[in-house]
Amino acid sequence: MPFKALVIVTVAASTVLGAGFLLSEDNRFSFGWDKGPSWSEDQRQAGIPDSIPESVKASAGGPQKLPSDNPVGFMLAKVAEHYAQTTRYPPWSVPLNEAQADGYRGNHYEPVTLPLENGGQFTVTLEKFRFTQGENILIIASLQGPQVVGDSLYATLERTGSRDSAGSTTLVPDGHTGYYQGSLNTDEEPGEYRLLVEASVDGKPLRHVSSLSIEPYLGDFDGIEDSYLSNNNLVIPVSFAPNEPGFYGLSAQLYNGQQPVAQLQAETRLDSTSDTISLKAHGTVLANLSINGKFHLRNLQLRQLPARPGDRTHYAFGPDEGYAFEPPDLEDLDDTPAANPESEQRAAMLKQLADKF
């Protein structure tokens, strides 16, 4: 992208972000809302602080220029600061907190609930949303509330594009718990599908729709090899025997005991001569870590990258329990930011733009 175009896009994006920031709870220079954590009650009522906080006046490295009165300049400075922080980490090894770890789970189905009259609910639950060809789809549905429900529910799997049926089954009630269950097979061609669960509620038909996909068999995970240190990285070799040669991407979450540490990812070619993908945890996410028990790799997700434009990306997943391992001595790792000249140049350019306001 030409430099001039990049500047225009950056300024436009910063203007939008600036408007959001001025209305956010982190804005300490405009609105006196009660969410400002460092203001006194008098300062909140006045709408502005009596003085500029010390954290703004000076950083660890010395005095810092006061924020610009221009919203665009102020927001550009914030963007530059945030971008400079994120460039500390290589893209294949970024720190992870608990909320992010929960969001990164690769094959988690979130139950979908339809509200019914008089406080009732119609919920369908699946164990995951990507199924390997040949697996059974276990379906559990629940109808809660004062409604009168028919004796059975019916589930149909249909292809997303053509809406052709790929199988159907009856969900039968499980005692007096209000739950219905049944299963469908996934012998169909890989692709995107819709799962329709139909019920009769108070004599009226009701339909619940969920999305899922059927994935081809890609191969088998064979565990992990001994981890080791190299170039300020903890290297974790993961073995995967591919069903077909090609380029594959692997992502996983690194845990120290129960504490999420980093989101890791790597891409490589796998074939009959190479069946290892090496994940690397950079020193910036490990150097200051207090080791507590074993390390774990969890939520392993493998992607078979498309051989041609327009082809689907196929997925496979590691064991639910992941892999536990004893790391080597990590004392030689340090918190030196990863070298990324391109990102550093972008951060410097944003800083120069901010200084012009």
Side-chain angles (χ1 to χ4, degrees):
M1 177 183 295
F3 180 82
K4 183 177 181 180
L6 180 59
V7 171
I8 294 174
V9 171
T10 302
V11 172
S14 300
T15 303
V16 175
L17 290 172
F21 182 82
L22 292 174
L23 297 175
S24 73
E25 65 183 23
D26 294 328
N27 175 21
R28 300 186 180 183
F29 303 97
S30 293
F31 303 101
W33 293 338
D34 289 341
K35 293 183 180 179
S38 64
W39 294 8
S40 67
E41 186 61 29
D42 291 338
Q43 289 170 333
R44 292 193 185 100
Q45 292 175 359
I48 56 174
D50 292 335
S51 60
I52 302 298
E54 291 299 322
S55 61
V56 175
K57 290 181 179 179
S59 63
Q64 186 177 16
K65 187 173 68 175
L66 294 180
S68 169
D69 292 334
N70 187 296
V72 175
F74 175 71
M75 201 54 224
L76 274 172
K78 296 294 291 184
V79 171
E81 179 183 351
H82 178 73
Y83 193 83
Q85 286 294 322
T86 60
T87 57
R88 295 186 68 251
Y89 309 102
W92 35 263
S93 173
V94 295
L96 193 67
N97 60 39
E98 292 185 5
Q100 292 168 334
D102 187 65
Y104 275 129
R105 287 183 296 170
N107 199 16
H108 173 70
Y109 177 88
E110 192 68 32
V112 178
T113 298
L114 297 181
L116 305 177
E117 294 181 359
N118 301 316
Q121 292 182 328
F122 182 15
T123 304
V124 171
T125 302
L126 305 175
E127 57 181 334
K128 50 192 174 184
F129 73 93
R130 297 190 190 276
F131 294 84
T132 301
Q133 197 172 19
E135 285 185 320
N136 282 338
I137 303 173
L138 176 63
I139 307 162
I140 298 177
S142 66
L143 280 158
Q144 299 175 337
Q147 291 79 12
V148 177
V149 183
D151 293 336
S152 300
L153 278 65
Y154 301 94
T156 303
L157 188 66
E158 66 175 27
R159 298 174 181 84
T160 299
S162 64
R163 301 293 178 89
D164 293 336
S165 174
S168 61
T169 189
T170 299
L171 307 184
V172 296
D174 181 15
H176 301 286
T177 62
Y179 289 91
Y180 296 73
Q181 67 178 26
S183 64
L184 287 166
N185 64 56
T186 58
D187 292 332
E188 302 297 321
E189 288 295 316
E192 307 299 323
Y193 289 81
R194 298 199 319 161
L195 177 68
L196 283 64
V197 179
E198 299 174 280
S200 175
V201 178
D202 290 339
K204 300 177 181 178
L206 185 65
R207 173 179 287 187
H208 188 295
V209 181
S210 302
S211 297
L212 59 86
S213 70
I214 297 176
E215 303 295 335
Y217 167 72
L218 298 184
D220 296 312
F221 283 91
D222 292 330
I224 61 176
E225 301 173 6
D226 292 339
S227 58
Y228 59 92
L229 301 185
S230 176
N231 296 325
N232 202 30
N233 294 291
L234 170 64
V235 183
I236 310 164
V238 180
S239 297
F240 182 82
N243 190 44
E244 296 180 355
F247 285 93
Y248 292 83
L250 176 66
S251 64
Q253 297 173 5
L254 179 65
Y255 277 72
N256 176 212
Q258 298 301 316
Q259 180 65 37
V261 175
Q263 178 76 15
L264 311 178
Q265 60 180 2
E267 294 182 2
T268 192
R269 178 176 173 80
L270 298 177
D271 52 34
S272 58
T273 63
S274 176
D275 62 355
T276 301
I277 302 179
S278 293
L279 297 173
K280 295 184 293 184
H282 194 256
T284 48
V285 298
L286 293 177
N288 300 316
L289 190 67
S290 177
I291 304 300
N292 180 24
K294 292 185 176 182
F295 276 10
H296 287 80
L297 271 187
R298 297 176 180 166
N299 299 317
L300 286 86
Q301 176 178 279
L302 187 85
R303 296 173 293 121
Q304 183 184 36
L305 304 179
R308 295 176 298 274
D311 288 353
R312 289 184 73 243
T313 298
H314 299 304
Y315 295 84
F317 298 89
D320 293 339
E321 65 276 13
Y323 298 111
F325 65 98
E326 292 280 357
D329 189 349
L330 304 180
E331 288 187 359
D332 290 338
L333 296 178
D334 60 69
D335 194 17
T336 302
N340 190 333
E342 183 177 346
S343 294
E344 292 170 3
Q345 290 174 4
R346 290 174 181 171
M349 185 192 71
L350 287 170
K351 179 66 167 59
Q352 291 175 358
L353 288 173
D355 291 341
K356 293 182 182 299
F357 289 87

